[in-house]
Amino acid sequence: MKTNQLLNESGLISRLDSRILELDIKGIADNSSDVEKGFVFVAIKGFEIDGHGFIDQAIEKGAALIIGEQEITRLGVPYLQVENSRKALGILARNFYGRPSDQKIMIGITGTNGKTTTSYMLQHFLESNGMSCSVIGTNQNVINGEKMKSSNTTPNSLALHKLLTLSQDEVVIMEVSSHGLAQYRLEGIEFDYGLFLNLHHEHLDYHSSMEEYFQAKLTMFNQMKEHGIAVVNTDNEWGRKLCGILQTKGKPIYAIGTSTECNLRVAKFHSLSSTMRVIESNETYQMVAAMTGMHNMYNTLMAYGTSLLLGIPKEKLLNSIHHFKGVDGRFEITKLAKGSIVIVDYAHTPDAISYCLETAKSQGAQRITHIFGFRGNRDASKRKHMLSISAEMSDRYILTLDDLNNVSPGDMLEVLNQLNETYGNSKGSIVPDRTLAIQQAIHESKEGDWIVITGKGHEKYQQTFHLPTDSDRETVNYIIKQN
């Protein structure tokens, strides 16, 4: 591909002379170790590593053009200075790979809680009715039926465009994180459907305020295709704000919630049976949430409503809901022989924890033991809220270690003690080893008890604990086998 084609619609062509515009570009790299002869190397300043420091290495490996943010002269190969390297990378990747999002039905799902669950529900509904789907998200990426490991909820723009080019599936379902949007990882992507689930206290170690967090989420809805539709949960205050903004721009909205103005309205929800009465197109009917809990009622409705917009008949969708098997690490239920129940869930925000504990109560938990911790070097402002909710809603809670992320065990233990003294109550205790905390709760449980383990879900442990297990689910299974 010629440089002028690569830089099309970037606003950068006028800054290069005609000879450079005719360079034959063989590929793009943002990691100097991936550079080959004839590649463009895009230098990006990361949080720990600055790509500008690897420009010489990229040139030695044969880079034909360098793009970066710093003012650099006399490189020996053409250099183009840009205001934002991450944004430039997305534009280059889009052009190099032939605008792959234009060839797909693109569905972006954003929100604090429920992205993974909703994406897998949606995949199930669509594939059960003859539409092949790629899924790009937190648990894993699934392309052409092949599962691939996922390092971030939203890959960077170069990796994302490569995945879209590999996909032969009709539909691409993407979890879209606020970090990914703020860091231009979705630059060059346009969506047919944008789903807004909710917005709650989270990531305020990265975003300075809830308003800034919301503005990052709003970015996705500025990347809709001409006839793209926003599917919005209007029972969330930020969802209502989003609708107001989109309405002033004349953008199509499919609203979901309890308001009489919603396109898909919940008239009544029965928490024990997870059944609901819904009203859609002036028709009222019963349906069952694909998973238990009010939060999963909303997740189900978001996936269901989007499927309706894609033309799948109501009767077929209602049948598909009954065959959904759940999602790894999302309210996974294990019943113990003694009559107690263990739940493993990814919940790591105040609202998600509240949903989990409330769901356990609505399903008949007589006593709840909640096991959780806090990740090192992550949003510390939500910790007191998480603990306050657990102290109020559980019958007993055990604070333990989560991922430390370079924080020492001693420092985190000190944090747990301080939080427990300030925001906890007499129901609480601290067991630093996560596997031993789970073991203690299971051994002490009785019939009717629910043990709710939150924070890790499907994820493997970062550090080694006493029991020879790699995840909460493995730990539960190991303890069961030992008994």
Side-chain angles (χ1 to χ4, degrees):
M1 176 177 283
K2 301 297 183 182
T3 310
N4 61 344
Q5 296 172 299
L6 188 68
L7 298 177
N8 185 38
E9 298 182 23
S10 67
L12 303 172
I13 291 178
S14 62
R15 297 167 61 180
L16 294 173
D17 64 45
S18 58
R19 291 174 300 173
I20 296 173
L21 290 175
E22 291 302 313
L23 285 174
D24 193 15
I25 301 301
K26 305 295 185 183
I28 307 169
D30 61 342
N31 186 324
S32 60
S33 62
D34 296 331
V35 172
E36 298 178 20
K37 186 174 177 60
F39 271 43
V40 173
F41 174 63
V42 182
I44 294 175
K45 184 177 181 180
F47 296 103
E48 297 180 359
I49 298 174
D50 188 346
H52 294 81
F54 295 85
I55 289 175
D56 288 341
Q57 182 180 330
I59 294 172
E60 289 174 6
K61 297 193 70 175
L65 174 66
I66 306 294
I67 293 178
E69 296 176 1
Q70 296 179 4
E71 185 175 346
I72 300 174
T73 57
R74 299 177 184 177
L75 277 181
V77 299
Y79 176 78
L80 180 60
Q81 184 180 1
V82 297
E83 184 177 341
N84 189 309
S85 292
R86 294 177 187 271
K87 191 170 184 177
L89 179 66
I91 295 170
L92 268 62
R94 176 198 65 191
N95 292 341
F96 186 81
Y97 288 105
R99 306 180 74 101
S101 71
D102 291 356
Q103 318 307 318
K104 306 288 184 185
I105 298 172
M106 297 292 301
I107 303 174
I109 303 175
T110 198
T112 305
N113 301 313
K115 294 188 293 296
T116 299
T117 299
T118 303
S119 68
Y120 279 90
M121 285 182 183
L122 185 54
Q123 179 197 24
H124 170 73
F125 296 165
L126 298 185
E127 291 191 337
S128 297
N129 291 282
M131 301 180 76
S132 63
C133 300
S134 292
V135 179
I136 299 173
T138 304
N139 279 18
Q140 61 190 356
N141 299 326
V142 183
I143 309 292
N144 305 324
E146 180 182 349
K147 297 178 181 179
M148 308 174 183
K149 188 176 180 181
S150 171
S151 56
N152 290 309
T153 297
T154 308
N156 78 8
S157 58
L158 183 57
L160 182 53
H161 281 89
K162 286 180 181 178
L163 288 173
L164 294 183
T165 304
L166 285 173
S167 172
Q168 298 173 17
D169 295 312
E170 182 180 359
V171 180
V172 176
I173 302 167
M174 286 186 58
E175 293 183 49
V176 179
S177 69
S178 62
H179 288 68
L181 290 163
Q183 295 168 14
Y184 298 97
R185 295 186 217 157
L186 290 106
E187 191 68 28
I189 302 294
E190 291 186 332
F191 296 96
D192 296 271
Y193 301 93
L195 279 61
F196 183 91
L197 306 180
N198 49 62
L199 197 72
H200 299 295
H201 187 147
E202 173 70 318
H203 301 310
L204 297 189
D205 55 333
Y206 184 83
H207 305 289
S208 62
S209 65
M210 287 297 293
E211 179 61 31
E212 183 180 299
Y213 184 21
F214 172 73
Q215 290 298 323
K217 296 289 191 184
L218 180 61
T219 304
M220 187 180 84
F221 298 90
N222 296 328
Q223 295 180 211
M224 303 290 288
K225 294 180 182 177
E226 184 178 355
H227 301 293
I229 299 174
V231 183
V232 183
N233 171 11
T234 59
D235 284 354
N236 180 271
E237 62 175 311
W238 295 97
R240 293 190 292 274
K241 180 172 181 175
L242 173 64
C243 283
I245 292 170
L246 295 177
Q247 285 169 349
T248 61
K249 297 180 178 181
K251 302 294 184 182
I253 299 168
Y254 186 88
I256 289 173
T258 54
S259 168
T260 56
E261 298 177 357
C262 288
N263 302 86
L264 182 60
R265 180 189 167 204
V266 186
K268 193 167 186 178
F269 177 69
H270 300 276
S271 58
L272 183 59
S273 61
S274 293
T275 59
M276 57 187 127
R277 188 168 78 249
V278 298
I279 302 172
E280 184 263 327
S281 298
N282 295 319
E283 182 182 2
T284 302
Y285 51 91
Q286 294 284 123
M287 64 185 292
V288 181
M291 294 174 65
T292 57
M294 181 171 287
H295 57 303
N296 283 317
M297 175 198 78
Y298 286 108
N299 294 336
T300 302
L301 289 172
M302 294 294 287
Y304 176 83
T306 306
S307 301
L308 287 175
L309 291 172
L310 281 162
I312 299 176
K314 174 195 71 177
E315 292 75 18
K316 291 187 175 182
L317 284 173
L318 293 175
N319 182 61
S320 297
I321 290 174
H322 293 294
H323 296 95
F324 183 66
K325 296 180 179 178
V327 183
D328 287 348
R330 269 63 178 179
F331 214 78
E332 286 189 25
I333 300 175
T334 302
K335 296 182 179 180
L336 305 183
K338 63 173 70 177
S340 52
I341 290 175
V342 180
I343 301 296
V344 172
D345 194 88
Y346 188 56
H348 55 277
T349 68
D351 293 273
I353 285 173
S354 178
Y355 296 150
C356 264
L357 298 179
E358 183 58 43
T359 299
K361 286 186 176 183
S362 71
Q363 296 300 304
Q366 296 177 20
R367 292 170 299 277
I368 296 175
T369 296
H370 181 207
I371 302 171
F372 68 113
F374 310 106
R375 298 195 175 185
N377 293 324
R378 292 295 186 268
D379 185 359
S381 66
K382 67 180 180 180
R383 294 172 178 172
K384 62 183 180 181
H385 302 294
M386 293 166 64
L387 179 51
S388 296
I389 288 169
S390 183
E392 178 183 350
M393 297 185 68
S394 62
D395 298 279
R396 172 193 181 198
Y397 65 85
I398 303 176
L399 290 175
T400 190
L401 295 184
D402 201 314
D403 294 344
L404 292 173
N405 296 322
N406 299 318
V407 173
S408 73
D411 286 346
M412 182 54 74
L413 184 57
E414 184 177 343
V415 168
L416 295 183
N417 279 301
Q418 289 175 345
L419 286 167
N420 195 42
E421 289 175 5
T422 308
Y423 303 103
N425 57 27
S426 59
K427 301 176 184 177
S429 62
I430 298 174
V431 180
D433 188 291
R434 192 176 185 91
T435 61
L436 295 182
I438 295 171
Q439 183 180 64
Q440 177 181 319
I442 289 177
H443 284 170
E444 294 176 356
S445 68
K446 301 175 183 178
E447 184 176 355
D449 287 355
W450 284 50
I451 301 161
V452 181
I453 310 165
T454 63
K456 293 294 294 174
H458 66 286
E459 293 180 340
K460 292 190 177 297
Y461 297 149
Q462 274 190 3
Q463 57 262 15
T464 301
F465 294 114
H466 181 78
L467 300 182
T469 54
D470 291 327
S471 68
D472 288 345
R473 180 169 55 186
E474 281 190 26
T475 301
V476 172
N477 291 336
Y478 177 84
I479 294 166
I480 292 172
K481 290 178 181 178
Q482 297 300 305
N483 288 345

